[in-house]
Amino acid sequence: MLVKVRLFARLREIAGASELARSVPAGATARVLWDQLAVDFPALEDYGNVVSCAVNDDYARLTATLNEGDEVAFLPPVSGG
Amino acid sequence: MPSTPRETTADGRYRVTSKPLDSTVITRLVSAPGCGAVVTFTGLVRDANAGRRVLWLDYEAYEPLALKAFEQIGDEAAGRWAAVRLAIHHRTGRVAIGEASVILAAASAHRADAFAASRFAIERIKQIAPIWKHEHFEGGEVWIEGATADPLDIAAREAAFERACS
């Protein structure tokens, strides 16, 4: 199934894109999608233990199951303020 | 499906914007007849960080999620301090040295709750707002990375309450 990936800050720079389309198996979790991205962009592996994610503009767990057409954002550690 | 991106909540209290921030606006947004105190906080871009001479900051935000994070912070503050009302406005894009990157206001009947809630709000912004600083300094640039954002992390929230009340 197709999902849309959004990347921010350093993660966006590593991938060279703020948005990507990806195909993942039905029932895949956000973590599965992340691991798939980390194969394409190995520098993402540094963020495996600190990345946050959001699905359709709400914070979500990496264990969240994805659905067709979901927009999945991956967020490096934040630094607002 | 994701909603259309927007930069402010309907009541204007929470905003992510590339335009300069105005603390008189934010004070007005939280003031009410029952309020005896409004505390405002302004975060400015500093010219030095970790031994580097900072030239400017570029802020990147995930706007719709940032607005939701600000609303969560407002709800958490109101849950802790009855009748506290928050407003938070945060910049995006390039922000020069000395300019405000974030302003917030906390209104309450009495000053103690307004001071505490304002401190809580800025601590919580740094924990869960999906916003990033890209620091441009003499000789290079670097993404600043602080907390792993987890709005359900109770220990982090309690640490923010603790700092607010110490």
Side-chain angles (χ1 to χ4, degrees):
Chain A
M1 61 185 185
L2 278 175
V3 295
K4 181 172 149 188
V5 177
R6 295 190 66 183
L7 298 169
F8 291 89
R10 179 74 186 125
L11 306 187
R12 171 176 56 70
E13 288 188 345
I14 289 170
S18 58
E19 296 186 2
L20 298 165
R22 274 291 182 278
S23 181
V24 291
T29 61
R31 171 63 75 180
V32 168
L33 173 60
W34 171 262
D35 289 343
Q36 186 180 315
L37 291 169
V39 172
D40 292 348
F41 308 104
L44 292 180
E45 284 172 16
D46 291 346
Y47 288 86
N49 292 324
V50 295
V51 70
S52 298
C53 91
V55 177
N56 300 333
D57 293 343
D58 278 310
Y59 274 115
R61 296 293 181 193
L62 286 164
T63 51
T65 302
L66 304 180
N67 294 300
E68 171 83 29
D70 276 351
E71 184 175 298
V72 186
F74 291 108
L75 318 177
V78 298
S79 56
Chain B
M1 292 301 293
S3 57
T4 307
R6 57 193 180 129
E7 69 167 29
T8 185
T9 52
D11 63 4
R13 287 198 290 142
Y14 304 109
R15 181 181 293 269
V16 178
T17 177
S18 60
K19 300 185 184 69
L21 303 176
D22 182 344
S23 55
T24 60
V25 167
I26 207 166
T27 299
R28 204 161 53 234
L29 284 168
V30 295
S31 298
C35 286
V38 176
V39 171
T40 60
F41 171 83
T42 302
L44 302 176
V45 174
R46 202 174 53 233
D47 70 356
N49 184 40
R52 302 184 289 264
R53 295 291 296 174
V54 177
L55 303 173
W56 72 84
L57 297 180
D58 282 319
Y59 280 90
E60 180 170 332
Y62 180 5
E63 284 94 349
L65 190 61
L67 294 178
K68 289 178 181 176
F70 292 167
E71 288 177 316
Q72 175 178 334
I73 294 166
D75 290 346
E76 288 173 346
R80 175 67 177 253
W81 298 282
V84 157
R85 196 170 151 81
L86 278 185
I88 302 168
H89 290 184
H90 202 297
R91 279 288 295 274
T92 56
R94 183 166 300 188
V95 186
I97 304 301
E99 277 193 294
S101 55
V102 60
I103 58 173
L104 65 88
S108 185
H110 302 288
R111 66 186 179 281
D113 286 357
F115 274 113
S118 61
R119 177 71 195 270
F120 169 76
I122 188 63
E123 299 295 336
R124 205 70 177 119
I125 287 166
K126 289 173 177 289
Q127 291 176 344
I128 66 168
I131 299 173
W132 298 269
K133 293 179 176 84
H134 193 200
E135 179 186 299
H136 293 257
F137 59 91
E138 279 182 4
E141 56 191 68
V142 63
W143 285 99
I144 307 299
E145 294 175 344
T148 293
D150 181 358
L152 300 179
D153 181 347
I154 303 301
R157 190 190 68 203
E158 291 307 307
F161 279 128
E162 183 67 26
R163 285 194 198 110
C165 297
S166 61

